[in-house]
Amino acid sequence: MRQLVTVSCVLLLAVSGFAQEDSSQPRPFVEIAEQDVKPSVQAIAPIDDTNVFFLNKRGQAGVAKFSPGLSLIGWELYSKVKLNSLNSLGMGPNYSLVTASPIEITQAFDTAGDGSLDFFQGLVRDWQGRDNGVRITAGPVADSNGRLLFALSPFSIEEGQPPLARLVAWHPDSEGLQTVTESQLLISSFSVGPDSLLAARLSMPAYTEGYYISLTGLPSFLADSPDAVPDPLPKTLPSLLIPAELTGGKEPTQMCFFGENNQTKLVLTCPESNQLIEIVPEKSGSQWQGAILLRSQTPSSIESVVEMNSGLLLGGGPDGFFPLEIPAEAFRIESVNIAKDGIVLNFSEEVDRFQGVKPDSYTVKAVSLRGDNKTLMVEPVIESDGKTVILKTSEIGKGVVLRVVCQNLPSADGDALFNKTVFYTIHES
């Protein structure tokens, strides 16, 4: 017999301003059942620290409950309706759900209060170019201003102009859609982080050497002037290149921001290689750059990832939900930074000092964003904590992707490195 867990949710605020049902009182939610069958998961939307909505592979919405440590307690379907939905899910007022298909943004309600979605309405069905085949390619994602963001495929708004992909914002207090950024490349997924920082995956299928990520500051919400456009309109340009070498040639798909060690980080899923990629964004002048590392190898394919609370990540895929923790015993490169005198590597454990001071334990290349590359000579220095290695080198240069390989560097206890290769993008100033 399945154990039933009744969850009474009192959260009534998520994304302000969406169309909503009349009821404004807390009401019983879904009776979540402990089940032997694991749900398939393609998108997750947190309700609070221990409850989430999710979409399964059939396009049905569900609800799942977790312990504080993110162990699954139980789950149940919230909708038997199958939606033609992209891999993203948002939560609106009164537990409504917001999804996107290529041709519509849809909001779904439980009007009867019986724990089942029974009413669906189209929030956004019209945009420039829709009649000419322009489709939604990513989203919806809600930001802190109550806007609903989604990406549109490239289209020439004015005759003779090059086609541009657009990230647009919808808000019930504005007339029409507001373009918040434009891109020459199609946007296949995106996430909004602290201080309205946008991370977008830019699709370039013909380029097989890596995968582009754009980092862009979003303009503020102009509710009182819906036709006003920030000047200049920010462009969604490639900021970081995730080398195909790091992912085994498999494409990163979904992403989310999270906080860890007082830093804002970005994690990306690679469902085909069972990998999580970690990016540490860093502002340099008007551009963004930063480190790219292999964060973990997951036990099963992960298609969606969200931050539940304070750095706790929850992933989902065909084999259910997984708390995405880094094994405490893993010897890994935790971070890479650029200093005036070289490259700073921080490790999770003390390195073997005998091997750590040998230059031939490392291979460092600076690959120009223009195509050429050079090998850098390094002089390793181990700091007193044994966990920090500075690779002193001559001028690294600008406009390069640094590739650092620690090919022969065990820990002080003899453990092999989990992630021997890390990358860092440095832009022209």
Side-chain angles (χ1 to χ4, degrees), residues 144-190:
S144 59
N145 296 309
R147 298 182 297 185
L148 200 64
L149 306 176
F150 57 97
L152 297 174
S153 55
F155 176 68
S156 297
I157 295 179
E158 297 182 10
E159 186 175 353
Q161 295 295 317
L164 295 174
R166 288 174 289 152
L167 191 73
V168 298
W170 175 89
H171 193 282
D173 294 340
S174 296
E175 296 181 6
L177 301 174
Q178 181 189 77
T179 299
V180 295
T181 185
E182 295 176 328
S183 170
Q184 293 181 342
L185 301 175
L186 184 145
I187 300 171
S188 61
S189 64
F190 67 95

Side-chain angles (χ1 to χ4, degrees), residues 279-302:
I279 292 176
V280 185
E282 180 182 333
K283 190 71 177 291
S284 176
S286 61
Q287 296 179 310
W288 288 87
Q289 55 189 36
I292 304 173
L293 309 89
L294 175 61
R295 180 175 176 86
S296 64
Q297 193 83 29
T298 57
S300 182
S301 177
I302 300 295

Side-chain angles (χ1 to χ4, degrees), residues 226-429:
D227 295 328
V229 177
D231 187 20
L233 187 70
K235 301 294 184 182
T236 304
L237 301 173
S239 302
L240 298 168
L241 177 66
I242 300 176
E245 172 191 352
L246 189 64
T247 67
K250 305 302 181 182
E251 182 178 9
T253 55
Q254 301 302 304
M255 64 182 74
C256 84
F257 284 96
F258 69 104
E260 187 175 64
N261 299 327
N262 297 316
Q263 285 184 310
T264 296
K265 298 182 178 182
L266 188 67
V267 64
L268 295 92
T269 64
C270 288
E272 291 188 48
S273 59
N274 293 7
Q275 292 176 324
L276 291 179
I277 303 299
E278 177 183 305
I279 292 176
V280 185
E282 180 182 333
K283 190 71 177 291
S284 176
S286 61
Q287 296 179 310
W288 288 87
Q289 55 189 36
I292 304 173
L293 309 89
L294 175 61
R295 180 175 176 86
S296 64
Q297 193 83 29
T298 57
S300 182
S301 177
I302 300 295
E303 297 198 3
S304 181
V305 58
V306 295
E307 182 181 34
M308 293 296 287
N309 58 71
S310 188
L312 287 178
L313 295 174
L314 177 68
D319 295 327
F321 293 99
F322 298 91
L324 301 177
E325 299 177 335
I326 296 178
E329 66 276 7
F331 175 46
R332 61 191 303 270
I333 304 171
E334 292 190 326
S335 67
V336 53
N337 295 282
I338 306 302
K340 290 183 178 180
D341 58 346
I343 304 162
V344 182
L345 302 174
N346 291 291
F347 297 83
S348 60
E349 300 176 20
E350 291 187 31
V351 303
D352 182 299
R353 291 179 181 271
F354 179 75
Q355 291 295 127
V357 296
K358 293 182 177 180
D360 59 5
S361 292
Y362 314 87
T363 300
V364 181
K365 287 189 176 182
V367 181
S368 171
L369 295 175
R370 299 182 182 90
D372 56 329
N373 66 80
K374 64 178 180 179
T375 299
L376 303 181
M377 303 302 295
V378 298
E379 179 185 347
V381 175
I382 302 176
E383 294 196 344
S384 58
D385 63 0
K387 297 182 179 182
T388 303
V389 177
I390 302 175
L391 301 179
K392 293 191 174 184
T393 185
S394 57
E395 179 65 30
I396 295 172
K398 303 290 185 180
V400 299
V401 176
L402 281 180
R403 177 181 181 267
V404 181
V405 183
C406 304
Q407 65 263 15
N408 187 25
L409 185 62
S411 72
D413 294 330
D415 298 324
L417 267 173
F418 164 72
N419 53 342
K420 294 183 178 181
T421 306
V422 295
F423 298 85
Y424 194 101
T425 299
I426 303 176
H427 284 290
E428 300 280 359
S429 55

Side-chain angles (χ1 to χ4, degrees), residues 21 23 27 78 108-120:
E21 54 186 301
S23 172
R27 53 174 168 74
Y78 192 28
F109 294 109
D110 168 17
T111 60
D114 61 358
S116 180
L117 296 175
D118 53 27
F119 179 75
F120 299 83

